[in-house]
Amino acid sequence: AAMDAIITYVKHHRAKDSKVTLAYIDTPTHVHMVPDTCQHNSKKYLNSAPLYQKILMNMGVIRKQEYHRVASGGSGGSGDDDRNKGKVACDGLSIVQGPNYAIAKLIQRMRAVHSRQTGHKVSMTVGPPTATWSVLHAPKVGDAARQMYRFKPNDFYLVSTVKPLLFMFLINDMLNPKSKANPPSKEELKSSSSSSSPSPYDFIIENSWHGGIWDSGFLTRSLGPSAYIIAQIEKAAPVVAILTALAAATAYRYMSRAS
Protein backbone atom coordinates (compact mmCIF):
# COMPACT_ATOMS: atom_id res chain seq x y z
CA ALA A 1 0.00 0.00 0.00
CA ALA A 2 2.88 2.38 0.80
CA MET A 3 4.53 1.73 -2.58
CA ASP A 4 1.22 2.25 -4.35
CA ALA A 5 0.79 5.58 -2.57
CA ILE A 6 4.24 6.68 -3.77
CA ILE A 7 3.44 5.67 -7.36
CA THR A 8 0.12 7.53 -7.22
CA TYR A 9 1.82 10.66 -5.91
CA VAL A 10 4.55 10.61 -8.57
CA LYS A 11 2.03 10.02 -11.38
CA HIS A 12 -0.11 12.97 -10.30
CA HIS A 13 2.81 15.37 -9.82
CA ARG A 14 4.74 14.72 -13.02
CA ALA A 15 4.16 16.97 -16.01
CA LYS A 16 1.42 15.78 -18.37
CA ASP A 17 3.90 15.54 -21.26
CA SER A 18 6.22 13.33 -19.18
CA LYS A 19 4.33 10.16 -18.33
CA VAL A 20 5.67 7.88 -15.60
CA THR A 21 6.71 4.40 -16.77
CA LEU A 22 6.00 1.59 -14.31
CA ALA A 23 7.69 -1.79 -14.03
CA TYR A 24 6.60 -4.76 -11.94
CA ILE A 25 7.43 -8.42 -11.46
CA ASP A 26 4.25 -10.36 -10.82
CA THR A 27 3.88 -13.79 -9.24
CA PRO A 28 2.27 -16.81 -10.90
CA THR A 29 1.03 -18.04 -7.50
CA HIS A 30 -2.06 -15.85 -7.57
CA VAL A 31 -5.39 -15.71 -9.38
CA HIS A 32 -4.69 -14.73 -12.99
CA MET A 33 -6.56 -14.19 -16.22
CA VAL A 34 -5.08 -16.79 -18.58
CA PRO A 35 -5.78 -18.10 -22.10
CA ASP A 36 -8.26 -20.97 -22.12
CA THR A 37 -5.55 -23.09 -23.76
CA CYS A 38 -4.09 -23.37 -20.25
CA GLN A 39 -7.23 -25.21 -19.16
CA HIS A 40 -6.91 -27.60 -22.10
CA ASN A 41 -3.23 -28.18 -21.27
CA SER A 42 -4.15 -28.82 -17.65
CA LYS A 43 -6.47 -31.66 -18.65
CA LYS A 44 -3.70 -33.25 -20.73
CA TYR A 45 -1.20 -33.11 -17.86
CA LEU A 46 -3.78 -34.45 -15.43
CA ASN A 47 -4.56 -37.42 -17.70
CA SER A 48 -0.86 -38.21 -18.15
CA ALA A 49 0.06 -37.81 -14.46
CA PRO A 50 1.79 -40.79 -12.75
CA LEU A 51 -0.46 -43.29 -11.01
CA TYR A 52 0.65 -42.32 -7.49
CA GLN A 53 -0.37 -38.69 -8.14
CA LYS A 54 -3.83 -39.77 -9.32
CA ILE A 55 -4.16 -41.90 -6.19
CA LEU A 56 -3.22 -38.90 -4.04
CA MET A 57 -5.87 -36.84 -5.85
CA ASN A 58 -8.55 -39.49 -5.29
CA MET A 59 -7.59 -39.56 -1.62
CA GLY A 60 -8.03 -35.79 -1.43
CA VAL A 61 -4.35 -35.14 -0.62
CA ILE A 62 -3.86 -33.08 -3.77
CA ARG A 63 -6.56 -31.36 -5.78
CA LYS A 64 -7.37 -30.77 -9.41
CA GLN A 65 -6.46 -27.36 -10.85
CA GLU A 66 -9.35 -24.87 -10.83
CA TYR A 67 -10.38 -22.52 -13.62
CA HIS A 68 -13.34 -20.16 -13.54
CA ARG A 69 -15.37 -18.36 -16.18
CA VAL A 70 -14.71 -14.64 -16.38
CA ALA A 71 -17.76 -12.61 -15.36
CA SER A 72 -19.02 -9.58 -17.27
CA GLY A 73 -17.09 -6.36 -16.78
CA GLY A 74 -20.09 -4.17 -17.60
CA SER A 75 -22.33 -2.58 -14.99
CA GLY A 76 -25.49 -4.58 -14.56
CA GLY A 77 -24.50 -6.92 -17.40
CA SER A 78 -24.52 -10.66 -17.49
CA GLY A 79 -22.48 -13.31 -19.24
CA ASP A 80 -18.86 -13.00 -20.26
CA ASP A 81 -16.94 -9.80 -20.92
CA ASP A 82 -16.48 -9.73 -24.74
CA ARG A 83 -12.91 -8.49 -24.39
CA ASN A 84 -11.99 -11.54 -22.35
CA LYS A 85 -13.34 -14.19 -24.68
CA GLY A 86 -10.93 -17.08 -24.87
CA LYS A 87 -9.72 -16.46 -21.32
CA VAL A 88 -10.41 -18.02 -17.93
CA ALA A 89 -9.40 -17.22 -14.36
CA CYS A 90 -6.76 -19.63 -13.08
CA ASP A 91 -6.59 -20.21 -9.32
CA GLY A 92 -2.85 -20.46 -8.73
CA LEU A 93 -3.03 -18.79 -5.32
CA SER A 94 -0.48 -19.96 -2.76
CA ILE A 95 -1.34 -19.58 0.93
CA VAL A 96 2.22 -20.21 2.15
CA GLN A 97 3.21 -16.58 1.51
CA GLY A 98 0.30 -15.28 3.58
CA PRO A 99 -2.60 -12.88 2.95
CA ASN A 100 -0.50 -9.69 3.01
CA TYR A 101 1.58 -10.89 0.05
CA ALA A 102 -1.54 -11.87 -1.89
CA ILE A 103 -3.18 -8.49 -1.29
CA ALA A 104 0.01 -6.59 -2.16
CA LYS A 105 0.32 -8.41 -5.48
CA LEU A 106 -3.34 -7.77 -6.27
CA ILE A 107 -2.87 -4.04 -5.59
CA GLN A 108 0.18 -4.01 -7.89
CA ARG A 109 -1.74 -5.71 -10.71
CA MET A 110 -4.75 -3.43 -10.43
CA ARG A 111 -2.48 -0.37 -10.36
CA ALA A 112 -0.64 -1.66 -13.43
CA VAL A 113 -3.88 -2.26 -15.38
CA HIS A 114 -5.33 1.12 -14.39
CA SER A 115 -2.11 3.01 -15.17
CA ARG A 116 -1.80 1.48 -18.62
CA GLN A 117 -5.46 2.23 -19.40
CA THR A 118 -4.83 5.88 -18.46
CA GLY A 119 -1.88 6.38 -20.78
CA HIS A 120 1.20 5.07 -18.97
CA LYS A 121 3.66 2.52 -20.25
CA VAL A 122 3.66 -0.47 -17.88
CA SER A 123 5.99 -3.45 -17.91
CA MET A 124 4.61 -6.34 -15.87
CA THR A 125 6.32 -9.71 -16.16
CA VAL A 126 5.05 -12.83 -14.43
CA GLY A 127 8.23 -14.40 -13.08
CA PRO A 128 8.51 -18.15 -12.47
CA PRO A 129 9.06 -19.92 -9.12
CA THR A 130 12.71 -19.15 -8.37
CA ALA A 131 15.26 -20.28 -5.78
CA THR A 132 15.53 -16.88 -4.11
CA TRP A 133 16.45 -16.32 -0.47
CA SER A 134 12.85 -15.39 0.35
CA VAL A 135 11.80 -18.89 -0.76
CA LEU A 136 14.72 -20.95 0.54
CA HIS A 137 15.11 -19.31 3.96
CA ALA A 138 12.21 -21.47 5.16
CA PRO A 139 13.64 -25.03 4.93
CA LYS A 140 10.30 -26.79 4.52
CA VAL A 141 9.17 -24.45 1.75
CA GLY A 142 12.54 -24.80 0.01
CA ASP A 143 12.42 -28.61 0.19
CA ALA A 144 8.91 -28.68 -1.25
CA ALA A 145 9.73 -26.16 -3.99
CA ARG A 146 12.65 -28.27 -5.24
CA GLN A 147 10.32 -31.23 -5.75
CA MET A 148 7.63 -29.37 -7.70
CA TYR A 149 9.12 -30.61 -10.98
CA ARG A 150 7.65 -34.04 -10.21
CA PHE A 151 4.19 -32.56 -10.82
CA LYS A 152 4.58 -31.70 -14.49
CA PRO A 153 4.80 -29.13 -16.03
CA ASN A 154 5.75 -27.29 -12.81
CA ASP A 155 9.38 -26.32 -12.42
CA PHE A 156 11.67 -24.40 -10.08
CA TYR A 157 14.39 -22.14 -11.54
CA LEU A 158 17.76 -20.84 -10.47
CA VAL A 159 18.24 -17.11 -9.95
CA SER A 160 21.09 -17.14 -12.49
CA THR A 161 18.62 -18.35 -15.13
CA VAL A 162 15.76 -16.02 -14.30
CA LYS A 163 17.55 -12.67 -13.80
CA PRO A 164 18.94 -12.16 -17.32
CA LEU A 165 15.72 -13.31 -18.99
CA LEU A 166 13.52 -11.01 -16.90
CA PHE A 167 15.93 -8.19 -17.76
CA MET A 168 15.43 -8.96 -21.45
CA PHE A 169 11.64 -8.81 -20.97
CA LEU A 170 12.04 -5.40 -19.34
CA ILE A 171 14.24 -4.03 -22.14
CA ASN A 172 11.76 -5.25 -24.74
CA ASP A 173 8.88 -3.56 -22.93
CA MET A 174 10.79 -0.30 -22.64
CA LEU A 175 12.15 -0.07 -26.20
CA ASN A 176 9.89 -2.11 -28.46
CA PRO A 177 7.13 0.10 -29.94
CA LYS A 178 5.06 -3.03 -30.63
CA SER A 179 5.22 -4.27 -27.05
CA LYS A 180 1.90 -4.51 -25.25
CA ALA A 181 3.48 -2.60 -22.39
CA ASN A 182 2.68 0.53 -24.37
CA PRO A 183 -0.64 2.14 -23.42
CA PRO A 184 -3.67 1.42 -25.63
CA SER A 185 -4.44 3.85 -28.45
CA LYS A 186 -7.42 6.18 -28.36
CA GLU A 187 -9.15 3.96 -30.91
CA GLU A 188 -8.69 0.91 -28.70
CA LEU A 189 -10.06 2.76 -25.69
CA LYS A 190 -13.10 3.93 -27.64
CA SER A 191 -13.88 0.39 -28.75
CA SER A 192 -13.12 -1.14 -25.35
CA SER A 193 -16.57 -2.66 -25.09
CA SER A 194 -16.35 -4.60 -28.35
CA SER A 195 -15.08 -8.16 -28.68
CA SER A 196 -12.44 -7.05 -31.19
CA SER A 197 -10.67 -4.84 -28.65
CA PRO A 198 -7.82 -6.34 -26.63
CA SER A 199 -8.28 -7.40 -23.03
CA PRO A 200 -6.76 -5.04 -20.43
CA TYR A 201 -4.86 -8.09 -19.12
CA ASP A 202 -3.17 -8.95 -22.43
CA PHE A 203 0.00 -7.06 -21.56
CA ILE A 204 0.44 -9.28 -18.48
CA ILE A 205 -0.25 -12.50 -20.37
CA GLU A 206 2.29 -11.49 -23.05
CA ASN A 207 5.15 -11.62 -20.55
CA SER A 208 3.95 -14.57 -18.51
CA TRP A 209 6.65 -17.06 -17.52
CA HIS A 210 4.55 -18.98 -15.03
CA GLY A 211 6.79 -22.03 -14.61
CA GLY A 212 3.97 -24.44 -15.46
CA ILE A 213 1.56 -23.31 -12.74
CA TRP A 214 -1.14 -22.10 -15.15
CA ASP A 215 -0.98 -25.38 -17.13
CA SER A 216 -0.67 -27.71 -14.15
CA GLY A 217 -3.12 -30.54 -13.68
CA PHE A 218 -3.12 -29.94 -9.93
CA LEU A 219 -3.91 -26.99 -7.68
CA THR A 220 -0.62 -25.39 -6.66
CA ARG A 221 -1.41 -24.86 -2.99
CA SER A 222 -2.39 -28.51 -2.58
CA LEU A 223 0.99 -29.83 -3.74
CA GLY A 224 3.19 -28.52 -0.92
CA PRO A 225 2.75 -31.31 1.68
CA SER A 226 3.21 -34.08 -0.90
CA ALA A 227 6.27 -32.38 -2.40
CA TYR A 228 7.78 -31.96 1.09
CA ILE A 229 7.23 -35.65 1.95
CA ILE A 230 8.87 -36.66 -1.34
CA ALA A 231 11.85 -34.46 -0.42
CA GLN A 232 12.21 -36.17 2.96
CA ILE A 233 12.00 -39.61 1.36
CA GLU A 234 14.66 -38.59 -1.13
CA LYS A 235 16.91 -37.36 1.69
CA ALA A 236 16.40 -40.55 3.69
CA ALA A 237 16.90 -42.89 0.71
CA PRO A 238 20.72 -43.16 0.98
CA VAL A 239 20.54 -43.89 4.73
CA VAL A 240 17.83 -46.51 4.20
CA ALA A 241 19.90 -48.10 1.41
CA ILE A 242 22.99 -48.29 3.65
CA LEU A 243 21.06 -49.74 6.58
CA THR A 244 19.40 -52.28 4.28
CA ALA A 245 22.78 -53.32 2.88
CA LEU A 246 24.25 -53.69 6.39
CA ALA A 247 21.25 -55.72 7.54
CA ALA A 248 21.55 -57.98 4.48
CA ALA A 249 25.31 -58.43 5.05
CA THR A 250 24.77 -59.25 8.73
CA ALA A 251 22.04 -61.75 7.91
CA TYR A 252 24.23 -63.37 5.27
CA ARG A 253 27.14 -63.74 7.72
CA TYR A 254 24.86 -65.21 10.38
CA MET A 255 23.38 -67.71 7.94
CA SER A 256 26.85 -68.65 6.69
CA ARG A 257 28.06 -69.41 10.23
CA ALA A 258 24.91 -71.32 11.04
CA SER A 259 25.40 -73.59 8.03
Side-chain angles (χ1 to χ4, degrees):
M3 190 67 239
D4 189 64
I6 293 172
I7 291 172
T8 303
Y9 178 86
V10 173
K11 282 172 56 180
H12 290 169
H13 287 77
R14 287 284 295 268
K16 291 184 178 180
D17 59 345
S18 179
K19 289 282 188 178
V20 176
T21 297
L22 306 180
Y24 297 97
I25 296 178
D26 204 354
T27 176
T29 54
H30 211 283
V31 178
H32 279 275
M33 190 88 73
V34 304
D36 58 10
T37 52
C38 292
Q39 188 171 12
H40 301 317
N41 293 337
S42 176
K43 292 178 181 178
K44 293 179 182 178
Y45 283 111
L46 181 63
N47 292 334
S48 61
L51 179 60
Y52 79 92
Q53 293 180 9
K54 292 180 179 179
I55 292 174
L56 289 175
M57 185 180 69
N58 290 329
M59 293 171 60
V61 177
I62 59 179
R63 292 164 55 192
K64 181 182 176 181
Q65 179 64 287
E66 295 180 3
Y67 298 89
H68 305 276
R69 194 185 71 169
V70 180
S72 171
S75 58
S78 60
D80 293 343
D81 187 334
D82 286 342
R83 294 174 300 168
N84 293 317
K85 280 188 175 180
K87 296 180 178 63
V88 291
C90 174
D91 183 0
L93 189 65
S94 171
I95 60 175
V96 175
Q97 294 158 309
N100 290 343
Y101 182 83
I103 293 171
K105 283 300 180 182
L106 179 61
I107 291 173
Q108 282 187 357
R109 196 174 312 123
M110 294 302 99
R111 174 60 60 192
V113 171
H114 178 267
S115 297
R116 184 175 173 275
Q117 293 294 107
T118 53
H120 296 269
K121 178 180 287 189
V122 181
S123 172
M124 186 165 228
T125 300
V126 176
T130 307
T132 59
W133 179 87
S134 62
V135 174
L136 300 181
H137 82 284
K140 292 182 180 179
V141 175
D143 286 346
R146 293 187 185 96
Q147 298 298 324
M148 290 299 288
Y149 74 93
R150 298 184 183 276
F151 302 89
K152 295 181 179 180
N154 291 289
D155 213 338
F156 189 57
Y157 296 86
L158 296 174
V159 174
S160 57
T161 301
V162 174
K163 283 179 66 176
L165 292 175
L166 291 188
F167 179 70
M168 291 172 64
F169 283 136
L170 176 63
I171 294 301
N172 177 71
D173 283 344
M174 294 297 100
L175 303 180
N176 185 354
K178 295 182 179 180
S179 168
K180 290 183 179 178
N182 294 292
S185 64
K186 292 181 179 179
E187 291 74 17
E188 289 175 335
L189 290 174
K190 286 181 181 179
S191 62
S192 61
S193 60
S194 69
S195 59
S196 60
S197 62
S199 166
Y201 298 96
D202 281 347
F203 78 105
I204 301 175
I205 295 173
E206 181 187 44
N207 283 357
S208 61
W209 181 10
H210 50 79
I213 289 176
W214 295 357
D215 291 332
S216 176
F218 302 107
L219 196 64
T220 300
R221 60 179 173 272
S222 71
L223 297 177
S226 299
Y228 176 72
I229 292 172
I230 291 173
Q232 301 315 302
I233 293 174
E234 191 176 76
K235 286 181 180 180
V239 177
V240 172
I242 292 171
L243 292 176
T244 302
L246 290 174
T250 302
Y252 177 77
R253 286 185 63 186
Y254 177 81
M255 293 174 66
S256 297
R257 289 180 179 179
S259 60

